[in-house]
């Protein structure tokens, strides 16, 4: 992935950020502070992301409108990444462009007792977007091959099975009209330290911190390895992973907005045509 | 309700818009184009509503943060009003100020088969906000005493029972920490005509229109009467109704933003204090 600062023509950011399919992945080869295809700096990046807002909102409205006439297509943004990599910030800044009534946001935490009584994909299927909606997963079914692997929360054979189950599940979603946009927020070890310290240094952010975050951080290499395996094993050309360098928040916001825009533009949803007599309705309205 | 254009000191818009409790209500006495307590015109109104955004977002974050330390409080905005009165527009423009991850938006349509198999409040309880969240109902349990009454969808004795059931339900919510903000969007008959015509005249808005909307419009007096009864019978000082004149969209957005702000300011949610040793965590972080 080149990290030069040339602005990319629209339509190609996803080619730039797409992880190779069917190859081993070495996350150390990717610079978390890079800004591939992005604007030349923060000021330009913030402005560019803001400019995308109206177009994103318009395409979302078209997608929703099309669903009222039977179009089943919908979008599902899957956000994965280490603590502080910006999953929540993405929801706030990127999803904030959309009309809230067409968004279905779900943050997945440690599974509840009821969720644990079901297969791991059960709670995921409960939270899927309906036709015309944009779904957003802050963490997802991938936790079941990430923390579950690192912490040994399931037997190795079962973990092994899950990659194939995820793959089959995602193919079934794609068959059903779901455009998956799977984003791995690639953060550096040093930047995570800085962000955790920032939370400690600001009392208004203490609620976002838990000493357990430091214990998880101690397992950084294990998590990176678990990601490398998941990103390689659960990707096809129809359900690829995108690696978004996440050390720079402005780039993250711009890049994810642009990825969503490219996918929505490809869907090209249309306002449905009237299935009623417009002139007749006009006449009826004018007389009452 | 006075319709002069004096700007109201913060904290009192809800007194101005609150409908009397325990009295008969005559909706014809309220001017749908009025702007009580509001800025002097559209330009100022749009600017004032935009200015409220950051404060609303901050209070929402505090509310959410407090919930992580056990605070059960949450807010539920209930939007009711005739077709085109601006329920959807309110979600887009007002709720757009908030972080989507803390909002639970639900639009209630005609009940599904499963919903009809349960008591009318069942589907409502499924959609309630969790502690720390802001819930938004675009239509609500009130449809069960509005369209249900006008269209005779339930036996009269059952309809009669529902007012008391709604009242008891809302009291139980208030007891459980839910701040209810019930808003009736008061639209004029003429403005509805104009908005329906606008949908007909713009092909991109045909999907929002159905000839059935004209049939419902023909029942305008019946709906107004059903509203007058519901607004009078389902209101207490803890669970009042607010009448927001809705002919002017800028006023509607400003007024609902301000109502939410006043309620959130009264809740005055606080960031919780750290329940861990901050200095110790800092040391641990710096060494790894």
């Amino acid at each position: 992935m080149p990290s030069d600062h040339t602005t990319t023509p629209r339509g190609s950011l996803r080619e730039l950020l797409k992880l190779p399919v069917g190859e081993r992945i070495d996350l150390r080869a990717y610079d978390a502070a890079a800004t591939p295809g992005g604007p030349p700096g923060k000021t330009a990046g913030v402005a560019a992301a803001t400019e995308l807002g109206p177009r994103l909102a318009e395409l979302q409205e078209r997608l929703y409108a099309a669903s009222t006439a039977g179009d089943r297509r919908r979008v599902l943004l899957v956000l994965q990444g280490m603590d502080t990599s910006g999953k929540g910030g993405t929801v706030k800044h990127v999803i904030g462009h959309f009309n809230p009534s067409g968004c279905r946001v779900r943050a997945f935490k440690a599974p509840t007792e009821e969720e644990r009584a079901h297969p791991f994909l059960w709670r995921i299927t409960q939270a899927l977007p309906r036709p015309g909606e944009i779904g957003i997963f802050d963490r997802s079914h991938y936790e079941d091959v990430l923390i579950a692997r690192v912490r040994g929360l399931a037997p190795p054979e079962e973990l092994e099975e899950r990659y194939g189950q995820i793959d089959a599940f995602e193919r079934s979603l794609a068959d059903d009209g779901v455009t998956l946009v799977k984003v791995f927020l690639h953060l550096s070890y040093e930047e995570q330290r800085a962000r955790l310290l920032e939370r400690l240094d600001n009392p208004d952010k203490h609620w976002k911190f838990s000493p357990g975050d430091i214990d998880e951080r101690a397992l950084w290499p294990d998590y990176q390895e678990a990601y490398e395996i998941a990103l390689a094993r659960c990707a096809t050309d129809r359900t690829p992973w995108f690696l978004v360098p996440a050390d720079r928040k402005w780039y993250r916001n711009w890049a994810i907005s642009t990825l969503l825009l490219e996918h929505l533009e490809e869907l090209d949803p249309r306002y449905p045509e009237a299935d009623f007599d417009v002139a007749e309705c006009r006449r009826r309205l004018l007389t009452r």
Side-chain angles (χ1 to χ4, degrees), chain A residues 41-57:
Chain A
K42 183 172 175 177
T43 309
V46 169
T50 304
E51 261 173 43
L52 297 175
R55 179 81 180 126
L56 284 168

Side-chain angles (χ1 to χ4, degrees), chain A residues 12-35:
Chain A
S12 57
L13 187 68
R14 54 184 177 165
E15 290 315 315
L16 208 52
L17 299 183
K18 184 181 160 186
L19 282 169
V21 169
E23 288 174 30
R24 226 189 101 59
I25 287 166
D26 179 1
L27 286 177
R28 287 164 307 180
Y30 296 87
D31 177 4
T35 60

Side-chain angles (χ1 to χ4, degrees), chain A residues 86-132:
Chain A
K87 301 179 291 295
T90 300
V91 175
K92 185 170 170 179
H93 295 285
V94 178
I95 304 310
H97 288 311
F98 293 116
N99 183 334
S101 69
C103 295
R104 194 172 291 264
V105 185
R106 175 73 189 270
F108 291 98
K109 319 256 178 190
T112 63
E113 199 178 335
E114 189 188 11
E115 288 169 351
R116 273 184 281 116
H118 292 278
F120 77 100
L121 288 172
W122 177 80
R123 64 176 184 162
I124 305 300
T125 60
Q126 310 293 306
L128 290 171
R130 317 279 160 90

Side-chain angles (χ1 to χ4, degrees), chain A residues 18 20 22 29 35 39-40 48 52 60 63 89 121 136 181 215 234 240 259 267:
Chain A
K18 184 181 160 186
T35 60
L52 297 175
Q60 179 203 17
L63 187 71
L121 288 172
I136 302 95
V181 184
D215 304 328
C234 300
L259 282 175
L267 289 178

Side-chain angles (χ1 to χ4, degrees), chain A residues 208-223:
Chain A
K208 292 187 176 188
F209 187 90
S210 141
D213 298 344
I214 308 180
D215 304 328
E216 289 297 290
R217 177 171 165 79
L219 300 168
W220 186 277
D222 299 331
Y223 273 105

